[in-house]
Amino acid sequence: MSDTQAPGYHVPEQEETNYLHAQPGLMSWLMSIDHKRIGVMYLIAVFLTFALGGFLALAVRLELIAPGETIMTAETYNRVFTLHGLVMVFLFIIPGIPAALGNFVLPLMLGAKDVAFPRLNRASFHIYVVGTIMALWTTLEGGVDTGWTFYTPYSSTTSTPVVMMTMSAFVLGFSSIFTGLNFIVTTHKMRAPGLTWDRLPLFVWAIYATSIIQVMATPVLGITLLLLAMERIMGIGIFDPALGGDPVLFQHFFWFYSHPAVYIMILPGMGVMSELVTTFSRKRIFGYRAIALSSIAIAVISFLVWGHHMFVSGQSAYAGMVFSFLTFFVAIPSAIKIINWSTTLYKGSISFDAPMLWALSFLILFTIGGLTGLPLGTIGTDIHLHDTYFVVAHFHYVMMGGTVMALFGGIHYWWPKMFGRMYSETPARVAAVLVFIGFNVTFFPQFIMGSQGMPRRYYDYTADSGYEPYHVASTVGSWILLLGMLIMGLNLLSSLKKGAKASANPWGARSLEWVTQSPPIEHNFHEIPTVTQDPYEFPLEGSQKKASEGMDVTA
Amino acid sequence: MSSIIAHKHAHFFHSADQEASSAKLGIWLFLVTEVLLFSGLFVGYTVIKTLHPEMWKVASAQLDWVLGSVNTIVLISSSWTVALAVRAAQTNVKGENNAKIGVLLIITILCALGFLGIKYMEYSHKIHDGLLWGTKYFNHPDAIAALKAGVKSTFGLEVTALSDASFLETLKAHAAAGTEQAQHLIHHYASTVTYKDTLMTVEQGHLFFGIYFLLTGLHGIHVVIGMSLLIWIYVGSVKGRYYRDYYTPVEVGGLYWHLVDLIWIYLFPLLYLV
Ligand SMILES: [Cu+2]
C-alpha cells in the first residue's frame, strides 16, 4: 500500500456499473457528454476512416504494381490518392490520438470527473460527423483531384467539387479547435489535488502541446480554405495572377497551418510513447522535464518552418535559407525525445508485450523518418528530392511509422481500461510484427525509387525506367500490412466478447487512470484522488514483475 | 422582477470558482482563435496592398469615411454599455440590478443593429456602383463587354467611348421605357463616368473591394453572432439569472462583444483611412 499513487483510494471489491452500461440505448451514446463515451465513439470513427483511407491506399498501390493502366484510369487515380490523403489527414490522424485516446484518458489521468466543457466536447464530435459526411458526399459527386494540399491555381479552376471539400475541412477544423480548447482548459483547471505540472503524465504534456497548436494553427487553415472557396464562388482573385493576385500566397497560408499540423499528428504519438516505454521497461522515464518541455518547444518552433515546403516555389533564396536553418532547429526537440526514450529502455526490465512491440516499432521507424527529413530540409538536396517518392516515404515513416504505431500501441495499452477485457497476447504480437515488416517492405523501396527520381502522385511510369521492381515490392508490402491490420482488428474485436476480465491495473502502471476500476464508473472516481508522487515512480529492485503478469499496485 | 435564481455549479466541477475560471480561460482561448482567423485576412490585405500600392490608394478613397466613423463611434459606445452591464451583474445582490442589466444590454443590441443598418447603406451604395469583387467589378473586361452588349441589344446603340458623359444623357433619354434592365445598364454606365478620373485610371481595383467585402463581411457575421448572444443573455437577465456569485455568461458575452468591437477598430483605419 505504501507506494500507492493515491493513498486512501480503493477499488471497491464489488464491481460497480461502469460507463459502458450506465445508460442503455444508441441515443444515450450519441447524445452522451461523458468524455469516455465520446472517446469511444471517436475511436470507432477513427477505425472506420482508417479502414477507408487504407482501402484507398491499397487501390493506389495496386494501380502502380505495373506500368500502364492496371485497375483504374488516370482521372480516377487522381481522385483516389487525393481522397486517401484527405481521409487520412483530416478524418483519421488529426482526431486519432487526441480525440479518441485523449478524450478517454486525459480526464482520468488528471483525476477529473470530466473535461471542463463536456457539451462542447459532444459538439466537437457532432461537428466531426457532419464534416465527415460532407467529405464523403464529395466522393459521391465524383471526388476531388487536387491532392490534399489544394494548391492554387489548379484548385481554383478544376471542375471537381473543391468547394464542398474545403468546407468539409473547414467544419472539421472547428471540431479540432473545440477539442484542443477543451483539453487546454481541462489541463489548467481540472487537475486533482497534488497533481502539479511536474507530476503530469507525459501523455498529458504532449496532448497539451498539441492542443496549443490546434488552437493556434487551425483558424489560419480555416481562413485559407474560406479564401479558396471565395476564390471559386466569387472570383475574388487574391490567388489568381490573371486578376492581380498571388498563387504562392496560398502555399504560404496552407503550410503555415499544415507544417504545425504534422506536429498535431505526431506529438500525441510521442505522448503515448512516453507512457509505453516507461511502463514496459519498469523504469522511471529518463529526462522527464526535457521530454515535457521539448513538446512545448516543438509547438512553438513548428510555427516558424513552413517555408521548407516551398524551396522550389520561387520564394526568395534568403527566406529559403532561414527556413532551412529553422527546420534543423525543430529536429532537436524530437531527437531529445528519441534519446530519452532509448536511455529509459537502457538497463530496464523490458517486457515485450504487444503495446511495447508497437512502441519499439515507433522508435525505429520514427528515427528513420526523422533522419530522412534532414535531406528534405536542406535546400540543395531538397531540389533533387522535392516531389519524389522520397518525400512520400519520409512522410509515411513519420506519420504511419510514428503516429499510427503509437496509436495502435496506445489502443492495446488502454484497451483493458476502456472495455474491461484483455485481448489475446499472441495474435496481438503477431499483428505488430507483421505490420512492422509490411510497413518496411512497402515504404523502404520508396526511398530508393524516390532518390532515383520517381515523382510522387504520378499515375504511370515506363517499363524501362527501372522503377518497376520497387513498385512491385511496395505493393506486396501493402498486402502484408493489410494482413497485420486484419489480425489486429479481429483480435481486438473478439476480445470484447471472449477476452479475460481485466483488473484495474493490468500493466502495473502508475498514473491515475489505473486507480479506478476497468472499465471506469460513469463519473470516473468516487472521491477525487490526492496525488503524492510523480507518475513514473516504479518499484525497482525486488518487485520487477513482468507487466503482463497483471501486477496491481492498488490492490 | 427583482429577484434572483441561484446558480448551482455543474457536478464535474468541485466549486463554482473552478467553473467560472474555466469558462473565462475558455473564452479567452476562443478569442485568440478569432483573432487568428482574421489575421489570415490581414495578411492577404498586406500582400495585395504591397503588390498594388497605387490601386489601393485610389480604391480605398472610394469608401465613405464619415459613415465608417459613425459606425466606429456606435461600436465603441456599445462596448461601453456592455461593460456597464457586466459591472451591474457583478454588483447584483438580490436582483435590484436586473432591470439595469436588461436596459444596458438592450442599448448594446440596438447599437449592433444600428451598425448593421449603416453597413447595409454602405454595401448597397457599393453594389449600386458596381464596386465589387473579381469579374463583378464595373471596370472588369467581362463586365464592360456585358455593358456594351446590353446597351446594344436594349437601346440599339453602340458604345464607342467609355465614360463619355454626353452618351450617358443619350442613354437616359432612351430609358423612358424604364425597364429594370435598362436602368441597370444606365447605372453601370454612370459609374464608368463617375470613376473616370479615379478608379478607371488604375488596374485591379476589384482586389481592394474583394478584400473589403471579405473583411467587413466576416466581421458583420461576427456582429450578428455577438448580437444573438447578447439577446440570449438579455433573456436570462430578465429572469434574474445573473448576480454577484454568478455572472459568467454576461462576462463571456461581454468579452466576445469587445472582440467584435476591437476587430472593427483595426478594420476602420486599415480600410477607410490608410
Ligand atoms: Cu513541414
Side-chain angles (χ1 to χ4, degrees):
Chain A
M1 272 305 294
S2 58
D3 58 357
T4 306
Q5 186 38 281
Y9 191 88
H10 297 273
V11 177
E13 298 287 310
Q14 273 293 305
E15 203 185 301
E16 295 173 77
T17 312
N18 61 51
Y19 78 100
L20 293 168
H21 301 111
Q23 273 131 30
L26 183 65
M27 279 316 281
S28 81
W29 275 85
L30 293 176
M31 299 308 290
S32 174
I33 57 170
D34 180 347
H35 69 99
K36 299 181 290 302
R37 285 189 164 199
I38 293 172
V40 169
M41 288 191 289
Y42 262 118
L43 188 65
I44 296 168
V46 153
F47 265 129
L48 292 176
T49 53
F50 182 70
L52 172 63
F55 171 73
L56 294 163
L58 287 168
V60 165
R61 280 313 328 157
L62 190 56
E63 172 55 44
L64 290 171
I65 197 169
E69 183 174 326
T70 315
I71 55 165
M72 58 180 112
T73 63
E75 285 73 27
T76 313
Y77 177 84
N78 288 348
R79 288 165 169 78
V80 169
F81 81 68
T82 299
L83 193 63
H84 162 71
L86 287 166
V87 166
M88 286 303 202
V89 169
F90 291 109
L91 300 180
F92 165 66
I93 207 165
I94 288 180
I97 295 180
L101 296 180
N103 249 320
F104 191 93
V105 176
L106 182 107
L108 287 168
M109 279 184 159
L110 295 176
K113 293 193 170 177
D114 208 319
V115 291
F117 310 116
R119 271 177 299 185
L120 186 69
N121 203 17
R122 176 178 63 186
S124 159
F125 178 68
H126 289 170
I127 293 169
Y128 169 83
V129 172
V130 170
T132 305
I133 292 171
M134 287 168 73
L136 298 181
W137 183 258
T138 59
T139 316
L140 298 180
E141 286 181 43
V144 175
D145 64 352
T146 60
W148 78 281
T149 47
F150 297 121
Y151 271 15
T152 55
Y154 184 68
S155 60
S156 45
T157 49
T158 170
S159 61
T160 53
V162 170
V163 172
M164 185 68 160
M165 197 48 135
T166 51
M167 285 303 99
S168 152
F170 181 80
V171 166
L172 289 166
F174 273 100
S175 161
S176 177
I177 288 174
F178 289 161
T179 302
L181 189 151
N182 223 332
F183 288 169
I184 293 177
V185 177
T186 307
T187 309
H188 272 278
K189 302 288 179 185
M190 310 286 279
R191 300 194 308 276
L195 189 53
T196 51
W197 284 88
D198 56 4
R199 283 178 184 161
L200 284 181
L202 288 164
F203 181 70
V204 175
W205 271 103
I207 293 288
Y208 179 77
T210 308
S211 302
I212 291 176
I213 310 179
Q214 282 179 300
V215 166
M216 305 271 290
T218 317
V220 179
L221 176 74
I223 198 70
T224 309
L225 297 176
L226 209 58
L227 280 171
L228 179 57
M230 290 302 126
E231 187 88 8
R232 283 185 70 96
I233 298 168
M234 295 165 59
I236 294 276
I238 179 169
F239 301 133
D240 182 356
L243 287 170
D246 181 2
V248 177
L249 179 62
F250 178 85
Q251 295 189 26
H252 280 291
F253 272 144
F254 183 81
W255 289 113
F256 182 83
Y257 165 76
S258 293
H259 183 82
V262 303
Y263 286 101
I264 294 178
M265 303 176 213
I266 190 70
L267 266 174
M270 294 169 157
V272 174
M273 274 298 287
S274 299
E275 302 302 323
L276 300 185
V277 162
T278 45
T279 302
F280 293 95
S281 59
R282 317 227 57 75
K283 234 180 106 195
R284 276 183 85 115
I285 191 90
F286 181 83
Y288 172 88
R289 198 158 280 204
I291 295 181
L293 295 182
S294 62
S295 292
I296 304 295
I298 284 174
V300 174
I301 306 172
S302 70
F303 281 97
L304 307 174
V305 300
W306 77 88
H308 65 211
H309 296 269
M310 299 170 61
F311 288 149
V312 298
S313 71
Q315 71 180 356
S316 82
Y318 183 70
M321 274 161 59
V322 174
F323 280 126
S324 179
F325 172 76
L326 287 167
T327 300
F328 294 139
F329 210 68
V330 78
I332 295 172
S334 299
I336 288 176
K337 286 177 194 282
I338 295 277
I339 289 165
N340 280 317
W341 293 324
S342 309
T343 316
T344 305
L345 291 174
Y346 179 69
K347 286 195 173 169
S349 55
I350 298 172
S351 48
F352 293 94
D353 297 282
M356 188 57 158
L357 292 181
W358 291 106
L360 294 174
S361 291
F362 178 111
L363 207 57
I364 296 165
L365 301 176
F366 181 77
T367 303
I368 298 174
L371 290 174
T372 51
L374 296 177
L376 294 172
T378 312
I379 301 180
T381 41
D382 178 64
I383 292 187
H384 175 68
L385 297 170
H386 191 89
D387 269 352
T388 67
Y389 262 81
F390 194 89
V391 179
V392 178
H394 157 71
F395 187 73
H396 283 84
Y397 263 82
V398 178
M399 287 298 133
M400 189 171 180
T403 309
V404 176
M405 300 301 147
L407 173 69
F408 290 158
I411 288 173
H412 283 86
Y413 180 57
W414 283 300
W415 190 264
K417 181 55 67 182
M418 292 176 133
F419 301 107
R421 301 276 184 171
M422 301 301 293
Y423 50 83
S424 23
E425 185 62 28
T426 310
R429 290 187 195 181
V430 169
V433 171
L434 273 177
V435 167
F436 180 79
I437 294 168
F439 178 87
N440 283 297
V441 176
T442 306
F443 291 104
F444 201 82
Q446 298 188 1
F447 279 127
I448 302 168
M449 63 175 147
S451 62
Q452 293 175 356
M454 174 73 204
R456 70 193 281 204
R457 292 183 175 173
Y458 273 32
Y459 167 66
D460 204 4
Y461 51 92
T462 56
D464 58 2
S465 62
Y467 297 137
E468 193 170 356
Y470 301 113
H471 277 299
V472 171
S474 189
T475 305
V476 171
S478 71
W479 300 336
I480 305 174
L481 268 176
L482 174 68
L483 181 65
M485 301 283 179
L486 283 178
I487 294 174
M488 180 192 78
L490 291 175
N491 184 37
L492 288 176
L493 280 182
S494 75
S495 79
L496 290 178
K497 279 216 173 298
K498 293 181 213 148
K501 276 218 163 301
S503 69
N505 189 2
W507 313 120
R510 307 306 303 264
S511 39
L512 286 179
E513 75 270 31
W514 303 107
V515 304
T516 183
Q517 73 172 32
S518 303
I521 54 170
E522 193 180 7
H523 299 311
N524 297 351
F525 307 97
H526 283 296
E527 42 187 307
I528 298 298
T530 303
V531 180
T532 54
Q533 288 173 330
D534 82 33
Y536 305 110
E537 202 73 57
F538 280 106
L540 293 172
E541 300 309 314
S543 60
Q544 294 188 350
K545 266 184 162 181
K546 271 191 67 183
S548 53
E549 287 165 25
M551 183 185 71
D552 190 342
V553 290
T554 62
Chain B
M1 197 193 339
S2 56
S3 60
I4 53 161
I5 302 172
H7 174 73
K8 205 172 155 294
H9 66 82
H11 72 87
F12 44 89
F13 290 111
H14 56 69
S15 69
D17 261 5
Q18 191 193 25
E19 184 182 62
S21 73
S22 297
K24 222 158 143 180
L25 180 59
I27 184 71
W28 276 108
L29 283 169
F30 185 70
L31 297 186
V32 169
T33 68
E34 290 278 22
V35 169
L36 286 162
L37 184 74
F38 275 91
S39 72
L41 282 180
F42 283 122
V43 170
Y45 167 101
T46 312
V47 169
I48 299 297
K49 187 165 184 261
T50 318
L51 285 175
H52 309 281
E54 280 307 310
M55 172 281 282
W56 197 271
K57 228 181 190 158
V58 176
S60 65
Q62 306 307 320
L63 297 186
D64 188 336
W65 68 269
V66 178
L67 288 180
S69 308
V70 173
N71 254 350
T72 309
I73 294 168
V74 168
L75 272 195
I76 291 180
S77 317
S78 73
S79 241
W80 184 58
T81 52
V82 87
L84 288 178
V86 175
R87 187 78 206 127
Q90 284 169 338
T91 53
N92 195 10
V93 182
K94 289 190 190 122
E96 71 281 6
N97 281 356
N98 285 354
K100 191 175 167 191
I101 304 171
V103 169
L104 286 165
L105 286 173
I106 289 287
I107 298 174
T108 312
I109 293 162
L110 289 177
C111 285
L113 280 173
F115 177 90
L116 290 174
I118 291 172
K119 205 76 230 157
Y120 175 76
M121 280 164 61
E122 285 189 79
Y123 272 12
S124 41
H125 184 234
K126 295 286 169 288
I127 293 167
H128 190 264
D129 278 7
L131 300 185
L132 298 168
W133 52 85
T135 53
K136 299 264 190 298
Y137 189 59
F138 81 103
N139 195 20
H140 187 273
D142 289 3
I144 301 246
L147 171 69
K148 287 183 174 169
V151 169
K152 184 148 192 207
S153 67
T154 314
F155 302 107
L157 294 171
E158 200 77 47
V159 182
T160 41
L162 268 176
S163 68
D164 173 354
S166 60
F167 186 72
L168 180 61
E169 294 310 313
T170 320
L171 279 186
K172 281 183 176 164
H174 272 79
T179 62
E180 210 170 306
Q181 154 82 352
Q183 290 300 333
H184 176 77
L185 288 169
I186 290 168
H187 285 312
H188 190 165
Y189 190 83
S191 38
T192 66
V193 176
T194 313
Y195 298 115
K196 181 174 67 175
D197 299 323
T198 52
L199 291 176
M200 294 284 275
T201 64
V202 290
E203 287 193 7
Q204 272 127 12
H206 65 89
L207 276 175
F208 172 82
F209 292 100
I211 299 265
Y212 166 79
F213 276 100
L214 280 177
L215 274 169
T216 55
L218 191 63
H219 177 258
I221 292 171
H222 281 76
V223 173
V224 173
I225 296 171
M227 210 170 72
S228 323
L229 211 59
L230 291 174
I231 292 173
W232 173 71
I233 295 164
Y234 167 76
V235 173
S237 78
V238 172
K239 291 179 183 158
R241 283 197 197 286
Y242 311 125
Y243 59 107
R244 198 178 48 191
D245 297 330
Y246 178 68
Y247 50 84
T248 308
V250 191
E251 197 179 25
V252 164
L255 280 171
Y256 188 82
W257 191 252
H258 289 318
L259 176 89
V260 171
D261 187 19
L262 185 77
I263 290 172
W264 177 257
I265 287 174
Y266 278 93
L267 285 185
F268 171 61
L270 284 174
L271 290 170
Y272 290 75
L273 304 180
V274 178

